Amino acid sequence: MSSQTVHKWQRFSFKEQMARFAVFFGFAVALSVSISTVEVIPEFLYDAHIQAADLLTRMWPMDLAYYPKGIHAAMVETLHIASLGTLLAIGMAIPVGIMGANNIVRIPLLNWLAKLILVSSRSVNSLVWALLFVAIFGPGALAGTVCIGFRSVGFVGKLFAEALEESDPGPIEALTAAGAPWPSIFLKGYWPQVAPSFWGIFLFRWDINVRESAVIGLVGAGGIGMVLDTALNLFYWDRVSVILLSIFAVVVVAEILVTNIRKRII
Amino acid sequence: MINNSKQTAYGDAFKVNWWIRAGWVLVVCYILYAANYLDVSFARFIAGLGNGADFLAEMVPVNFSRWQLLVSNLLETVEIAVIASAFGIFFSLPIGLLAARNLMPSWLTWPARLFIVLCRSFHPVIFAILFVKAVGFGPLAGILTLIFASIGFVGKLFAEAIEEISLKPVEALQASGAPFISVILYAVLPQVQNRFIGFSSYQFDANLRNSTMVGIVGAGGIGGTLFAAFQRFDYDFLAAILLSIIALVMVSEFISLRIKGVFQ
């Protein structure tokens, strides 16, 4: 029996092990190179705790009386920018998402074009979009709304296209066989299947947009960010803390709202 | 003979849901109201389109002549993302563990969850502003910002992943008298390892995107150059910066796709 080969059990093949090792090794090399070359000025670090303590003492006590005077209107504007921007994104994402779903539009060139639109929208940060639209439309809520819309198209469109690609072809074949025109196939075949995930995507993106619309004002695109920018530039740190607290409160309320609605509809 | 199609035994297949129609009407009303409130009008939009055309026209001969500055900025951006991802993911491991309600007592999960909520609720730009004040201009502020952003995202998802694990291996190890650290290492981590790697590679992508932006408030990376190009109306160089950011993000998406393939 000694001639029988001994089985050696291992979880991964040699190639898989090497691939895993390569990922970790590559990341370790990138990390060590980054740490050794990044230009951190250590002198700035010595008084960091003093600066941070200074910041906190200037933020306290909060100037709560400023909320009704200067913050509330900007906060409402922020929420409107987020909602209107999300609706604009949906208006743009539905055609682009349909164009990107390769089971509906069977032209690879159009699928590829839709993917390019969606990736460009997602790769450019919301602040950069905001800068672009402030240059185009001038400072204000219009730039912010269009910025939120363009920024969100990539996210909403990608998930919408994926939901369309995963839909069951059965009802669509039935409708096609019955001779239904294209709009009917979409409204009665695809839409009922993707509607729950569609509303889920909408709510999820609205939640993200509430956070984003709070900061795009820093570059002039309207909302609470503009108030924050003014307070920062004038060193009104007691107002800054009230603004941060109100952003925090709105974001938490939005998240609780979205979580509860999602539980009901999905 | 059936002369009215609505009286079939099956009823109407496509019944009109008036509640949903009313909902759509409400949405349209809201759009009109909000557009009015925000002073968003079609006339302004049209006026903006003219500006937009000028803006694009000035971008068109894309100016790559200052490519050295561009490359060094892109490198700094990538460095910020790499360092922040490494530390952020490293710290989110223990914080995610502490926040998992099925393993830890509530006096430990509450502070951990509160910390995660704090990290998540503010946009990275706000953290960047505060860190620029605390540690000065430069990439360190950006790194600290993205570490907090990473803890918020990876920590939350990691805690949720741990809460969904099967508790049987945990009980088996506890019954055989294994110490706590072994329970974590041999019963909990193997169940969540793959998802953790998935969250981490996603967060690396997100950090790379955000590290292109933190420079706008002075926290290092290509954002500072981008903002300067904007303020100097240097739109042809701006176009070069934007194109290189998009290219960088696409490359990183490709790499993270390959990494996910390795760990599948």
Side-chain angles (χ1 to χ4, degrees), chain B residues 59-250:
Chain B
M59 276 182 162
V60 160
V62 178
N63 180 3
F64 277 105
S65 61
R66 277 186 281 167
W67 60 273
Q68 282 156 319
L69 179 69
L70 202 62
V71 168
S72 74
N73 274 315
L74 278 178
L75 272 180
E76 189 175 75
T77 300
V78 175
E79 284 167 356
I80 292 174
V82 168
I83 299 175
S85 304
F87 284 96
I89 292 165
F90 179 75
F91 289 129
S92 59
L93 256 172
I95 292 173
L97 262 176
L98 287 180
R101 279 174 292 199
N102 55 348
L103 293 180
M104 298 290 168
S106 60
W107 58 269
L108 269 176
T109 59
W110 268 106
R113 296 182 87 81
L114 188 71
F115 182 68
I116 289 173
V117 166
L118 263 179
C119 287
R120 265 163 47 79
S121 53
F122 289 115
H123 194 276
V125 175
I126 293 177
F127 275 121
I129 291 169
L130 298 179
F131 280 122
V132 165
K133 163 74 178 150
V135 300
F137 292 102
L140 183 64
I143 291 170
L144 290 172
T145 302
L146 295 180
I147 287 177
F148 277 85
S150 308
I151 292 175
F153 183 82
V154 182
K156 174 177 188 261
L157 291 181
F158 188 49
E160 280 173 6
I162 294 176
E163 284 174 3
E164 285 166 14
I165 62 169
S166 155
L167 282 174
K168 285 174 185 165
V170 178
E171 280 169 20
L173 279 181
Q174 278 171 343
S176 65
F180 182 72
I181 193 80
S182 306
V183 173
I184 298 292
L185 279 179
Y186 295 106
V188 177
L189 287 185
Q191 293 192 57
V192 291
Q193 189 196 22
N194 274 2
R195 295 187 68 188
F196 185 68
I197 288 172
F199 304 146
S200 305
S201 73
Y202 180 85
Q203 184 59 35
F204 179 70
D205 261 8
N207 281 346
L208 199 63
R209 278 158 215 240
N210 281 334
S211 69
T212 61
M213 165 273 295
V214 288
I216 291 176
V217 292
I222 201 162
T225 316
L226 180 120
F227 198 47
F230 237 107
Q231 289 181 321
R232 286 190 308 228
F233 306 105
D234 209 352
Y235 291 146
D236 48 353
F237 185 45
L238 177 79
I241 298 173
L242 287 179
L243 285 179
S244 45
I245 289 177
I246 293 177
L248 181 72
V249 171
M250 280 179 158

Side-chain angles (χ1 to χ4, degrees), chain A residues 61-75:
Chain A
M62 292 186 195
D63 185 9
L64 283 173
Y66 187 60
Y67 182 81
K69 271 188 291 176
I71 300 177
H72 184 75
M75 204 52 151

Side-chain angles (χ1 to χ4, degrees), chain A residues 23-169:
Chain A
V23 170
F24 287 118
F25 184 72
F27 193 76
V29 169
L31 180 63
S32 51
V33 169
S34 303
I35 287 181
S36 58
T37 55
V38 78
E39 284 168 25
V40 170
I41 304 166
E43 282 77 15
F44 280 2
L45 260 181
Y46 296 149
D47 65 340
H49 60 284
I50 303 169
Q51 293 286 345
D54 179 48
L55 196 66
L56 290 178
T57 47
R58 282 167 193 242
M59 278 183 167
W60 192 262
M62 292 186 195
D63 185 9
L64 283 173
Y66 187 60
Y67 182 81
K69 271 188 291 176
I71 300 177
H72 184 75
M75 204 52 151
V76 173
E77 190 178 277
T78 297
L79 289 174
H80 280 313
I81 290 175
S83 313
L84 205 57
T86 317
L87 288 169
L88 176 69
I90 281 181
M92 292 188 288
I94 289 176
V96 180
I98 292 174
M99 202 162 89
N102 57 18
N103 59 342
I104 300 182
V105 175
R106 294 177 194 278
I107 307 163
L109 185 71
L110 283 182
N111 294 154
W112 186 83
L113 185 69
K115 292 249 154 66
L116 186 74
I117 295 174
L118 298 180
V119 170
S120 331
S121 153
R122 277 179 293 138
S123 342
V124 178
N125 200 282
S126 50
L127 274 188
V128 180
W129 275 122
L131 278 171
L132 289 175
F133 286 115
V134 167
I136 292 173
F137 295 116
L142 174 61
T145 310
V146 181
C147 152
I148 292 287
F150 271 74
R151 164 76 174 161
S152 313
V153 166
F155 181 90
V156 179
K158 181 181 181 233
L159 293 181
F160 186 53
E162 280 172 5
L164 283 174
E165 282 175 358
E166 282 165 14
S167 58
D168 177 15

Side-chain angles (χ1 to χ4, degrees), chain A residues 12-26, chain B residues 262:
Chain A
F12 301 110
S13 70
F14 180 70
K15 209 177 144 192
E16 283 173 332
Q17 276 182 331
M18 286 318 285
R20 280 162 184 253
F21 176 72
V23 170
F24 287 118
F25 184 72
Chain B
V262 166

Side-chain angles (χ1 to χ4, degrees), chain B residues 28-45:
Chain B
V28 172
C29 289
Y30 172 76
I31 291 177
L32 293 175
Y33 165 75
N36 185 43
Y37 183 91
L38 296 177
D39 200 19
V40 172
S41 67
F42 202 63
R44 271 189 74 189
F45 188 75

